[in-house]
Amino acid sequence: MGRTSLSRRAIDRSPDLARLRKEGYEIQVHPANYVVVRNVPYVNAEGGVAYGELFVAIAKIGDAGVGRPPNHQAYFRGSFPHKRAGEPLSVIGQNQPAVHNLGDKLQAQFHFSYKSGKIDADGRYADYYVLVTEYVEIMWRYARRVDESATPLTGRVDDYGDEPSAFAYRDTASTRAEIVPITAKLEGHTVAIIGLGGTGSYVLDFLAKVPLKQIRLFDGDRFSQHNAFRAPGAASKEDVFAQPPIAKVDYLKRIYSALHLNITAYPYYITSVGPELASADFVFLCIDKPLAKAPIIDGLIQLDKPFIDVGMGIIAAEETLGGSLRTTFSAPGHRTHRYAIPTADANDDYQTNIQIVELNALNAALAVARWKKHLGFYRFHKLEFSSKYTIELNRVDNADYDET
């Protein structure tokens, strides 16, 4: 996702600003050294709800964050806030507009001076959390009376100076959960998925939420009616019955590019390891035809590529389905379990009993979780290299541990 912008660093290092963002306030730190609060609801002169922007000065930005507000004042961009139609909210300042040039193209129409009961003896608020919430609340209070759905808590995050991201919009979950340094372990990797059927399409669904440098999709199938019942989401009739049929990887790229910006589709079958795989950092092997796996596995091992192979063995008996899901991790120095991967076709009912999408999702989830352990995202005591989930027992059994 690139280097962190000045705005984001300042917020991450300032407990009061980080608290505002975590609670859902749409804040930024502007290059002109102002905290910007967007999407502030207020009542306009006509008695309707409008949304403005609040600007609060920063005295200095250092390694410890933004420090304390220099005073109790703020600027506002929008029309002047009211209690109701025709009654200005004069407690926050004068309702005469002016041009306030705050620097670096930041401009406001009003200068506020609001001293609530939380002002200290020196005429300042304790921190930016108190200052911002006092100003926002007094405007929001009246906006809620007009429209109870009005809120400044959008949860949107967009910082000045951010470098290009893997995503079309910011991942706010990591910030709100305070795991940004942990999530950073997932950044910058190129991951390939071979086979975008039931399990492979769910692997993509999970990886699309990860800040990967690139996701590469390999599958020669066309998207058809049975795929719609194995893939995440709900495909439209237009996509299912398109003529000519859509390449499966092209369909999935289009869907998931709404979130992840770096997905590349290769609409052909993989029979050997070419440059597109050789330059990947990790490979998910999700092929449902074991015979096709052997040359790919051999090629990945020759290149010292880590990979995960997944598989399902489903059998119909006594009018029920049973069987197991397998996840096998292979990496340099840990290749012996590679021989547990089936490379000869077996008889099972998976191909004909396709309404088992929850098992596809579970198989993909186990595989992606194991990959995240590989990168140090998830904690582990003993690192397994193979695991099997048994449907009848509802149990995961692990083997081939690395205890080093």
Side-chain angles (χ1 to χ4, degrees):
M1 293 177 66
R3 292 173 295 169
T4 305
S5 69
L6 173 64
S7 174
R8 185 173 169 188
R9 287 199 304 273
I11 292 170
D12 288 344
R13 296 174 181 178
S14 308
D16 46 355
L17 298 185
R19 183 181 176 187
L20 287 166
R21 176 162 283 182
K22 186 174 182 180
E23 291 185 5
Y25 289 91
E26 194 175 331
I27 67 165
Q28 302 167 304
V29 172
H30 193 275
N33 283 359
Y34 278 84
V35 175
V36 175
V37 188
R38 301 191 185 279
N39 207 66
V40 178
Y42 67 96
V43 176
N44 59 24
E46 292 75 33
V49 174
Y51 292 84
E53 296 175 321
L54 189 73
F55 308 140
V56 183
I58 298 171
K60 63 178 181 178
I61 300 177
D63 292 339
V66 296
R68 192 178 176 196
N71 52 50
H72 62 273
Q73 300 169 19
Y75 293 89
F76 191 72
R77 181 155 61 197
S79 60
F80 193 82
H82 284 59
K83 293 182 179 179
R84 57 189 64 85
E87 187 178 348
L89 187 59
S90 57
V91 68
I92 61 175
Q94 298 299 313
N95 63 348
Q96 298 301 315
V99 177
H100 300 279
N101 290 311
L102 307 180
D104 208 348
K105 300 181 181 179
L106 189 65
Q107 194 174 86
Q109 283 77 49
F110 297 96
H111 182 211
F112 291 164
S113 178
Y114 176 50
K115 295 183 179 180
S116 76
K118 295 185 179 180
I119 285 286
D120 292 342
D122 60 359
R124 294 193 293 168
Y125 290 96
D127 57 33
Y128 284 95
Y129 180 86
V130 178
L131 189 157
V132 168
T133 54
E134 287 295 285
Y135 270 103
V136 171
E137 173 58 31
I138 196 169
M139 291 183 274
W140 184 18
R141 177 188 313 163
Y142 296 103
R144 284 195 301 261
R145 296 177 184 177
V146 177
D147 180 359
E148 63 181 14
S149 68
T151 180
L153 306 179
T154 67
R156 288 195 290 264
V157 175
D158 184 20
D159 285 316
Y160 296 103
D162 272 356
E163 292 193 357
S165 167
F167 301 122
Y169 42 88
R170 173 69 65 79
D171 165 25
T172 59
S174 295
T175 301
R176 292 167 71 88
E178 299 178 348
I179 60 168
V180 170
I182 301 174
T183 301
K185 296 178 180 181
L186 307 177
E187 296 178 1
H189 300 274
T190 295
V191 175
I193 308 172
I194 304 176
L196 275 295
T199 301
S201 60
Y202 274 95
V203 170
L204 171 60
D205 185 78
F206 301 144
L207 293 185
K209 285 82 172 178
V210 175
L212 293 169
K213 179 180 179 181
Q214 190 176 47
I215 303 173
R216 298 176 181 173
L217 313 180
F218 297 87
D219 197 309
D221 283 350
R222 301 296 167 179
F223 191 76
S224 59
Q225 190 166 349
H226 79 276
N227 297 127
F229 289 91
R230 300 177 69 184
S236 69
K237 289 177 65 176
E238 291 75 17
D239 286 332
V240 171
F241 299 114
Q243 290 298 328
I246 308 169
K248 188 191 300 181
V249 291
D250 289 338
Y251 165 76
L252 291 168
K253 176 185 175 180
R254 171 164 55 82
I255 295 299
Y256 285 95
S257 290
L259 171 58
H260 202 291
L261 301 177
N262 302 321
I263 300 175
T264 305
Y266 299 89
Y268 51 79
Y269 299 111
I270 290 291
T271 58
S272 61
V273 176
E276 296 85 1
L277 281 179
S279 58
D281 299 304
F282 195 89
V283 176
F284 285 89
L285 196 51
C286 307
I287 301 174
D288 54 13
K289 295 179 176 61
L291 278 174
K293 293 182 180 181
I296 301 172
I297 291 172
D298 291 341
L300 293 173
I301 291 175
Q302 288 176 11
L303 291 172
D304 277 342
K305 293 292 179 183
F307 67 89
I308 284 179
D309 178 77
V310 297
M312 301 173 63
I314 308 299
I315 303 297
E318 301 176 353
E319 298 186 345
T320 63
L321 294 176
S324 62
L325 317 178
R326 177 187 50 79
T327 304
T328 303
F329 188 101
S330 184
H334 300 277
R335 300 295 192 185
T336 56
H337 37 276
R338 166 256 188 273
Y339 299 103
I341 300 174
T343 54
D345 289 337
N347 294 320
D348 66 51
D349 296 303
Y350 172 62
Q351 292 298 321
T352 54
N353 293 283
I354 63 172
Q355 299 279 20
I356 49 175
V357 68
E358 66 281 353
L359 297 184
N360 291 126
L362 178 58
N363 206 181
L366 292 171
V368 172
R370 177 59 181 85
W371 168 72
K372 288 185 174 181
K373 285 184 182 179
H374 168 64
L375 295 179
F377 183 87
Y378 287 128
R379 185 183 304 125
F380 57 85
H381 295 291
K382 294 194 299 183
L383 194 57
E384 79 282 355
F385 281 79
S386 64
S387 67
K388 182 175 75 172
Y389 171 77
T390 305
I391 298 169
E392 293 89 336
L393 302 176
N394 192 36
R395 187 178 73 191
V396 176
D397 294 296
N398 298 321
D400 297 323
Y401 289 110
D402 178 10
E403 301 187 50
T404 59

